[in-house]
Amino acid sequence: MEIKLHDAELKVMDVIWSEGTVSAKHIYETLKERFGYSRSATYTLIKRCIDKGAIERIEPGFLCEALVQKEEAQELATRELINKLYDGSADKLVASILGKRDLPHEEIERLRKIVRDWEE
């Protein structure tokens, strides 16, 4: 099942993905520090993630555990980006990235390695 997460929901998920199972209070404190989110806004976002099935609420203590892996969310967001901005054509996305003349040599080499690994 694909779960579409919006930007603010992804910020909640990023806290969980980077730190593991954490309390809702910890998510609030982290998002307040990073982005100035209010307590009510943060808890609303957490509830939306729970309602979508992206987070499991564990009691006692209102702990939040990710039910969606970061890679799954990235894959869905990438497909949506390709469909929305590149007419569903991944090669247009890659051409756009490669057309950027100021890519560091290390990034170009990583891209070459990805293509070589994929071909094998």
Side-chain angles (χ1 to χ4, degrees):
M1 177 171 99
E2 292 182 343
I3 298 173
K4 181 175 172 60
L5 298 167
H6 298 284
D7 291 345
E9 295 163 347
L10 286 168
K11 289 176 180 168
V12 168
M13 296 302 295
D14 277 335
V15 175
I16 301 170
W17 288 328
S18 65
E19 301 182 36
T21 301
V22 294
S23 69
K25 181 181 178 188
H26 177 76
I27 295 170
Y28 156 63
E29 290 169 348
T30 302
L31 296 184
K32 179 182 179 188
E33 179 182 314
R34 290 183 190 168
F35 308 107
Y37 280 25
S38 69
R39 184 177 193 276
S40 63
T42 302
Y43 278 77
T44 297
L45 290 170
I46 292 169
K47 182 173 180 345
R48 286 190 350 207
C49 290
I50 291 168
D51 291 345
K52 288 182 175 188
I55 293 175
E56 178 180 9
R57 178 179 177 162
I58 302 169
E59 293 296 344
F62 199 159
L63 298 177
C64 298
E65 182 176 283
L67 296 175
V68 173
Q69 298 302 310
K70 186 173 186 173
E71 294 76 16
E72 293 174 69
Q74 289 171 326
E75 174 64 29
L76 178 58
T78 301
R79 276 192 319 235
E80 287 180 348
L81 173 75
I82 291 169
N83 288 334
K84 187 186 310 180
L85 298 178
Y86 297 97
D87 301 320
S89 179
D91 60 329
K92 289 181 182 178
L93 169 64
V94 174
S96 173
I97 293 168
L98 295 177
K100 209 176 161 191
R101 299 287 183 240
D102 58 350
L103 277 179
H105 179 73
E106 297 81 24
E107 280 190 46
I108 293 169
E109 287 306 311
R110 283 195 300 271
L111 289 168
R112 283 187 177 126
K113 182 180 180 331
I114 290 168
V115 171
R116 281 194 305 267
D117 291 349
W118 181 79
E119 288 177 331
E120 294 173 359

